[in-house]
Amino acid sequence: MRRARLLLLGFLVALAGCFQLREPEPAGAVSEWIQPTQIDILLTNFSTAVQSRNPANYERCFSGPGYRFVPDPTSAGTTAALFANWSVSEERDYFNSLRRRAPASGQNQLTLTSRRDQFFTTDSAEVSALYQLRVPQQDTAFRASLLEGSIRLLVRRRNNEWKIAGWRDQRTAANQTTWTDLKKYFISH
């Protein structure tokens, strides 16, 4: 009987060695992501990534090599060539640059209003909305903290996931700072 207990104890000690306890992983990029099986979920992922300054989830919102950003013409001005081949890579670079200059505390605030969806097919649509984006950042050369305009997103579904395939930014009032201004500054600084 004693021998059986020793064997059982030895077995339990050996078994415990197979399982290593570890610290739980911090809540991060993956936990905020929801599979975008609907346009509403894609927009939630996009807004959450922008607000929490999460570059991995921000990039996941866009569809690979075919993605294009069309800037507001007034904001682009003489730097229109900067946006000629704007792709997901430039989205990532500008977003990371902005993120590096953001204060550790505080978040971006993105509000989309007056949303309209226009479906072209069951797998493609255009989402139009007005946006307000408040951006706390520490680069004193870029003074604007409130960006406003109209956003038009071309969205496509592939493998049952919606992604942003194109983005057109448009100024809605004179003398307002747009998302194009933000991208233009932070891609080059």
Side-chain angles (χ1 to χ4, degrees), residues 1-22:
M1 182 76 159
R2 183 167 186 215
R3 188 171 194 204
R5 284 187 187 167
L6 285 175
L7 279 174
L8 180 60
L9 182 62
F11 175 73
L12 290 175
V13 169
L15 183 62
C18 293
F19 299 100
Q20 297 292 325
L21 292 179
R22 60 182 175 87

Side-chain angles (χ1 to χ4, degrees), residues 49-68:
V50 168
Q51 290 177 164
S52 63
R53 298 186 299 254
N54 184 319
N57 284 350
Y58 182 76
E59 189 173 352
R60 287 176 76 179
C61 291
F62 299 97
S63 68
Y67 168 78
R68 290 293 174 254

